[in-house]
Amino acid sequence: ENAARLEQQLLSIAATMKGFGSQLETAVRVLAMLALRKLLDRDTPSGGGASAFIELAQPVDIEATLRRLLRPRSDSRFSPSLYGDIASLFERSRHLSRFELSRAATGVASIPEDLLESSTLGEAVIEFLSKANDRLSDMSIPVRGVTGLMLDLADPPDGGRIADPCCQNGFFLARSGIWGREQGRSFKCLDGSDRSSDHVAITRLLLFLTDLA
């Protein structure tokens, strides 16, 4: 139920940005904004991440605010590459007006904290992105079902490694990690690669949002 609620909120946020690019490109920008909120929530002392994120709702200074928020803190608990991934995806949002970005930031800032719990967030984001992917939207079996069938057949052991050499948007790796949690298994490595740097960035952010990286 919570995953469905969050998915609907993400779809509503994407609707404020639908004048830019394809449905998938718009969804990726929402993913970047959602990852930035979670990163700031966790990486800012005294829970100041949410208030810092709300600054993005001010359209006049949104570009300067983004540059400042995406500068890794010297005491950050997270890899600078996460900030870099978010920055690279925002870099492709230049066709968006500052007002569209501001409305999207307002929407993401208003998501209740209880909907950002890892399992809820992971399921909602995977479904949200899969519906935005034209090649996946026509599949008769949901992404979760396809991955589940593959993992049930492979039955990877606890402590094993999951590899996806053409990871695209990271659905398989993220669902594999969630499947492992549901089965009480912890995989040593979720290893993905792709010739597209955007796909690699999206995969890393998806694993971060599902607490798998």
Side-chain angles (χ1 to χ4, degrees):
E1 182 181 340
N2 280 345
R5 284 174 55 207
L6 180 53
E7 184 188 341
Q8 285 304 308
Q9 283 200 249
L10 296 177
L11 289 170
S12 296
I13 294 166
T16 69
M17 306 166 76
K18 67 179 182 179
F20 168 73
S22 70
Q23 187 177 4
L24 181 58
E25 287 174 322
T26 300
V28 166
R29 304 312 176 267
V30 177
L31 172 72
M33 202 165 281
L34 191 61
L36 178 58
R37 170 168 172 188
K38 180 172 178 175
L39 191 58
L40 292 172
D41 282 346
R42 293 193 170 192
D43 216 16
T44 307
S46 305
S51 59
F53 192 86
I54 290 172
E55 292 181 52
L56 285 176
Q58 308 303 317
V60 175
D61 298 319
I62 194 166
E63 293 93 346
T65 303
L66 264 176
R67 286 195 297 271
R68 178 170 53 79
L69 294 179
L70 287 169
R71 191 178 303 121
R73 297 169 52 87
S74 59
D75 58 347
S76 173
R77 295 180 296 145
F78 299 98
S79 167
S81 65
L82 273 176
Y83 287 92
D85 289 337
I86 297 171
S88 70
L89 295 177
F90 272 123
E91 183 69 18
R92 288 155 177 75
S93 300
R94 288 184 172 179
H95 294 85
L96 283 171
S97 75
R98 60 183 59 179
F99 295 100
E100 287 172 307
L101 280 172
S102 173
R103 286 197 300 270
T106 301
V108 172
S110 68
I111 295 174
E113 288 189 18
D114 65 306
L115 293 186
L116 296 180
E117 184 269 326
S118 61
S119 61
T120 296
L121 184 58
E123 294 292 350
V125 169
I126 290 171
E127 290 303 315
F128 169 64
L129 283 178
S130 66
K131 288 178 180 176
N133 189 325
D134 294 337
R135 289 190 299 170
L136 293 175
S137 61
D138 295 330
M139 293 177 65
S140 58
I141 304 176
V143 174
R144 175 172 182 158
V146 172
T147 308
L149 288 172
M150 293 174 68
L151 292 165
D152 286 340
L153 289 171
D155 195 25
D158 186 39
R161 176 187 178 198
I162 303 291
D164 187 351
C166 302
C167 62
Q168 287 277 313
N169 295 320
F171 296 130
F172 178 72
L173 291 174
R175 274 302 313 154
S176 296
I178 293 172
W179 181 90
R181 278 202 298 241
E182 292 171 348
Q183 301 294 320
R185 304 181 194 185
S186 176
F187 298 127
K188 182 178 181 180
C189 180
L190 294 171
D191 188 8
S193 61
D194 199 283
R195 66 180 181 178
S196 165
S197 59
D198 276 358
H199 285 159
V200 172
I202 293 166
T203 298
R204 275 198 293 248
L205 293 185
L206 186 54
L207 295 179
F208 168 67
L209 286 168
T210 50
D211 283 340
L212 295 169

